Amino acid sequence: MDGVTVIEEKKMLLNLLEYAWAEHLDEALVLLSRTDMKTVPLAGGTYLLGQTDDSIQAVVDLRDLALAYITEDAHGVHIGAMTTLQSMVDAPVLQELASGVLSRAALASSFSRLIRNGATLGGTLGAGVASQADLLTALAVLDAEMVVRSGSQTQVNLSGGTLEHPGLALSGVTYKGKQERHIPFSAIFSERRPNELILEVIIPRLVHSGAAFMRVGRTPTDVALLNAAAVVQVTNGVFSQVRLALGGVNMAPVRLLATERQLEGQPISDAEDAQLLIEALNAGIAEFHPPSDFRASSEYRRVCGTNLAFRVLEEAMNISRGYGVVSSEGSK
Ligand SMILES: Cc1cc2nc3c(=O)[nH]c(=O)nc-3n(C[C@H](O)[C@H](O)[C@H](O)COP(=O)(O)OP(=O)(O)OC[C@H]3O[C@@H](n4cnc5c(N)ncnc54)[C@H](O)[C@@H]3O)c2cc1C
């Protein structure tokens, strides 16, 4: 068709039959556990409502479930699934937690304040790698834990029991009810079941640790070709805990475990710090195989990743030692 531009119409959830505005968590769980109608959670909708998924028949709006909160207790900082990215940017507790890496990563996850006001933590985790969010890399180094709940039906065997509580003489019983479990961040993409609702993320408090987050994009407002986050704890001049992750557009964050293992237990000495980090990074980068796409080649990401990882490790180390007071990326 010469001279004619064909604009493909974007179809969005064309087979949607039901929009449920849940008022109670249990109600949402029952709706999401239905097997006769594909039902998915709707958070900010910034990702979901643009999908061309014809199989989705119903959405459950989570807005009234009181899941937008940031609180603290002995376990750490709890961030409700419906907390928006902008609330994470603004929350003083997150600006202070782990040198503010989570707050900064939330800011970097979307350049548009309009999107950050709608997009939520739960929606970002639900979208996973497709969210292209910097937040995922920061969560990877914070030993974050996700609390999920389902209202699913599971086949259970009640015949066994324990010595204290002997079981019933029944097997093959179907359990109907709520099931809640905690999933470590490292396993969220592999372990979360489709009907499980994300309730909150728990970040343990870090004591005397330094953290850093940096990113590289074609422009400051573009998605990150690569991002890096590190948490370092130095105790009595020794690396007592090291967490390092690289991530970026179209890839799940990757922890550089070989680097972490090599550094933990090593003493720090001003003269040899750089050499120590480089050797440990070489071990970690050998296991880092990022994807290639039209934005950047795998090789570019590996080279760039080495540099970025060095800088976040160094910054986190310096903060932990008390040398760095303000992060190199500055305040928001
Ligand atoms: C114009 C535009 C630009 C964007 N730019 C960026 C960007 O630069 N960077 C970026 O990171 N993202 C970007 N996004 C994508 C989007 O902002 C993120 O993916 C966002 O974090 C999704 O959050 P949400 O609350 O809107 O989720 P939704 O769109 O409501 O849901 C996302 C997915 O998660 C599931 N879900 C939602 N809540 C839960 C829950 N509690 N438990 C289980 N599953 C759940 C949904 O069913 C869906 O599959 C952009 C979106 C738009 C429209």
Side-chain angles (χ1 to χ4, degrees):
M1 276 192 285
D2 287 344
V4 179
T5 310
V6 178
I7 300 172
E8 233 181 77
E9 188 192 350
K10 189 160 187 189
K11 303 186 179 87
M12 296 187 269
L13 305 186
L14 267 194
N15 289 332
L16 196 68
L17 298 170
E18 186 183 294
Y19 184 109
W21 193 310
E23 288 181 24
H24 304 285
L25 194 51
D26 288 347
E27 185 192 341
L29 292 175
V30 168
L31 292 169
L32 290 169
S33 70
R34 291 182 292 186
T35 48
D36 56 341
M37 185 177 255
K38 183 169 176 188
T39 308
V40 298
L42 171 66
T46 62
Y47 172 81
L48 184 63
L49 298 182
Q51 292 303 291
T52 53
D53 188 339
D54 289 344
S55 68
I56 296 175
Q57 295 170 291
V59 293
V60 179
D61 195 317
L62 309 178
R63 262 178 291 182
D64 274 357
L65 301 185
L67 291 175
Y69 56 82
I70 301 176
T71 58
E72 270 187 284
D73 67 11
H75 299 290
V77 176
H78 299 244
I79 312 172
M82 287 298 285
T83 307
T84 64
L85 298 186
Q86 188 59 40
S87 304
M88 293 179 69
V89 174
D90 295 334
V93 62
L94 296 189
Q95 289 172 352
E96 177 258 330
L97 179 79
S99 318
V101 289
L102 208 53
S103 175
R104 291 214 312 268
L107 179 71
S109 285
S110 179
F111 71 90
S112 154
R113 191 180 178 112
L114 199 67
I115 298 291
R116 291 197 304 272
N117 275 333
T120 64
L121 173 62
T124 303
L125 292 169
V129 172
S131 75
Q132 306 180 357
D134 295 72
L135 204 53
L136 302 179
T137 309
L139 286 169
V141 295
L142 292 173
D143 288 335
E145 213 177 50
M146 197 166 65
V147 181
V148 297
R149 198 185 285 182
S150 67
S152 63
Q153 305 184 0
T154 319
Q155 201 81 358
V156 290
N157 187 348
L158 298 177
S159 59
T162 62
L163 269 182
E164 299 79 37
H165 304 286
L168 303 169
L170 294 170
S171 64
V173 172
T174 300
Y175 170 87
K176 291 185 181 181
K178 284 176 279 188
Q179 294 182 339
E180 188 169 301
R181 62 196 188 111
H182 291 218
I183 308 178
F185 184 81
S186 56
I188 61 156
F189 300 130
S190 55
E191 269 196 26
R192 190 171 73 85
R193 298 171 196 136
N195 65 343
E196 282 178 324
L197 187 67
I198 301 163
L199 298 187
E200 68 172 15
V201 170
I202 306 174
I203 318 276
R205 273 252 165 230
L206 304 165
V207 184
H208 303 310
S209 294
F213 168 79
M214 291 180 194
R215 72 198 299 273
V216 174
R218 286 180 299 192
T219 67
T221 56
D222 200 5
V223 289
L225 297 176
L226 205 77
N227 51 36
V231 169
V232 172
Q233 187 179 29
V234 176
T235 313
N236 299 328
V238 171
F239 283 104
S240 48
Q241 189 187 51
V242 179
R243 299 277 182 270
L244 174 64
L246 290 173
V249 62
N250 291 336
M251 59 177 283
V254 179
R255 286 265 298 273
L256 299 194
L257 298 173
T259 303
E260 297 177 3
R261 280 195 299 267
Q262 195 155 322
L263 286 176
E264 282 176 357
Q266 292 284 336
I268 290 180
S269 77
D270 284 341
E272 292 159 21
D273 277 355
Q275 193 53 34
L276 195 67
L277 296 187
I278 289 167
E279 279 170 19
L281 272 175
N282 286 340
I285 290 290
E287 295 172 359
F288 178 55
H289 304 291
S292 286
D293 58 32
F294 69 93
R295 295 184 180 90
S297 68
S298 176
E299 195 45 40
Y300 172 83
R301 286 191 168 118
R302 276 166 60 87
V303 172
C304 181
T306 312
N307 183 21
L308 215 54
F310 180 89
R311 289 171 57 202
V312 288
L313 270 181
E314 189 180 48
E315 178 170 318
M317 178 183 76
N318 286 337
I319 293 173
S320 180
R321 294 160 102 189
Y323 292 161
V325 178
V326 178
S327 146
S328 66
E329 293 241 320
S331 56
K332 290 172 290 299

